[in-house]
């Protein structure tokens, strides 16, 4: 099995279900080959999620997408970058989780082929570090526009340090992303189911 799985920790606390995944890359003078998803290997590693939809997004440098989640039919996402690099962020919205209201961030890179598995019940966003980035994510449920929601990208409570990757420049955001509400500790976002 050419799969390495690492648990994610936030402030020293394990974030249940959030995983970093690395694959073996076979390279030579012609280029490289990498198997980015193998159901058998994932299942053997205890990752028995079922993916039903694949998405791709292309973004230019300085674009920030997020922080998005879906209230109806929440989606787990296996996120990777095919080309370029992004600062990828997952925010735990599962009430009762030991990391509720906290975020995890990692640079996903098209050369390293590293991935982040974000289970259902998280908000997700990323900032493009390279000249452009082609991102891909496999989803455990279908997109449902009736449940589309989000949290404002620069929420002070969550405290994502966008400054360290933006260098203080204002990111480029979609109009809808500018109008999401702040995180609310008293709101019931998602139920935490510790498996």
């Amino acid at each position: 099995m050419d799969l390495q799985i690492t648990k994610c920790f936030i402030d020293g606390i394990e974030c249940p279900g959030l995983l970093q995944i690395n694959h073996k890359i076979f390279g030579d003078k012609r280029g490289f080959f990498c198997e980015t998803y193998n159901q058998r290997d994932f299942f053997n590693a205890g990752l028995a999620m079922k993916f039903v939809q694949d998405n791709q997004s292309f973004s230019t440098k300085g674009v920030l997408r997020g922080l998005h989640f879906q209230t109806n039919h929440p989606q787990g996402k296996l996120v990777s970058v095919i080309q370029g690099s992004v600062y990828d962020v997952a925010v735990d919205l599962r009430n009762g989780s030991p990391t509720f209201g906290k975020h995890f961030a990692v640079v996903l890179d098209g050369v390293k082929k590293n991935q982040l598995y974000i289970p259902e019940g998280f908000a997700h966003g990323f900032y493009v570090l390279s000249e452009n980035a082609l991102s891909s994510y496999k989803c455990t449920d279908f997109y449902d526009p009736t449940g589309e929601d989000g949290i404002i990208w620069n929420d002070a409570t969550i405290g994502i340090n966008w400054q360290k990757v933006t260098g203080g420049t204002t990111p480029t955001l979609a109009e809808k992303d500018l109008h999401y509400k702040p995180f609310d500790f008293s709101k019931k976002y998602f139920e935490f189911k510790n498996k």
Side-chain angles (χ1 to χ4, degrees):
M1 179 170 67
D2 299 319
L3 187 65
Q4 180 186 5
I5 300 167
T6 308
K7 294 178 180 179
C8 297
F9 291 81
I10 304 172
D11 298 332
I13 302 168
E14 182 183 339
C15 185
L18 187 66
L19 302 167
Q20 292 188 74
I21 300 167
N22 289 282
H23 303 272
K24 189 169 183 179
I25 299 172
F26 302 90
D28 59 28
K29 64 182 179 182
R30 300 167 300 157
F32 73 89
F33 174 83
C34 178
E35 192 174 81
T36 58
Y37 178 72
N38 179 305
Q39 185 186 60
R40 181 186 59 233
D41 287 350
F42 269 62
F43 277 35
N44 288 342
L47 307 179
M49 67 283 288
K50 178 183 175 185
F51 295 111
V52 298
Q53 179 177 315
D54 284 5
N55 299 332
Q56 288 188 354
S57 72
F58 179 82
S59 308
T60 56
K61 186 172 186 172
V63 165
L64 193 152
R65 295 183 185 265
L67 300 162
H68 303 146
F69 61 94
Q70 193 167 278
T71 55
N72 301 332
H73 304 283
Q75 295 175 309
K77 297 177 181 177
L78 179 62
V79 184
S80 57
V81 172
I82 298 168
Q83 178 183 344
S85 61
V86 305
Y87 183 71
D88 205 81
V89 178
V91 180
D92 194 346
L93 299 181
R94 300 169 300 174
N95 297 83
S97 165
T99 53
F100 175 65
K102 296 183 179 293
H103 73 278
F104 179 83
V106 64
V107 174
L108 297 180
D109 186 279
V111 174
K112 293 180 183 175
K113 303 296 178 200
N114 58 326
Q115 296 174 313
L116 183 65
Y117 178 68
I118 306 169
E120 295 86 349
F122 280 71
H124 173 244
F126 64 84
Y127 176 81
V128 179
L129 302 169
S130 51
E131 285 306 310
N132 51 62
L134 179 59
S135 299
S136 172
Y137 39 104
K138 301 178 82 63
C139 301
T140 60
D141 209 335
F142 298 103
Y143 170 67
D144 182 356
T146 66
E148 191 174 16
D149 206 346
I151 292 171
I152 191 70
W153 67 281
N154 58 354
D155 180 86
T157 305
I158 294 170
I160 301 167
N161 188 2
W162 297 112
Q163 171 82 16
K164 78 176 185 181
V165 292
T166 65
T169 60
T170 304
T172 305
L173 292 113
E175 187 65 26
K176 69 175 183 177
D177 292 352
L178 292 168
H179 300 290
Y180 284 129
K181 293 180 181 176
F183 175 75
D184 181 355
F185 265 109
S186 66
K187 183 175 177 178
K188 298 296 181 190
Y189 289 98
F190 297 98
E191 181 185 352
F192 174 58
K193 300 171 184 174
N194 196 3
K195 297 177 182 178

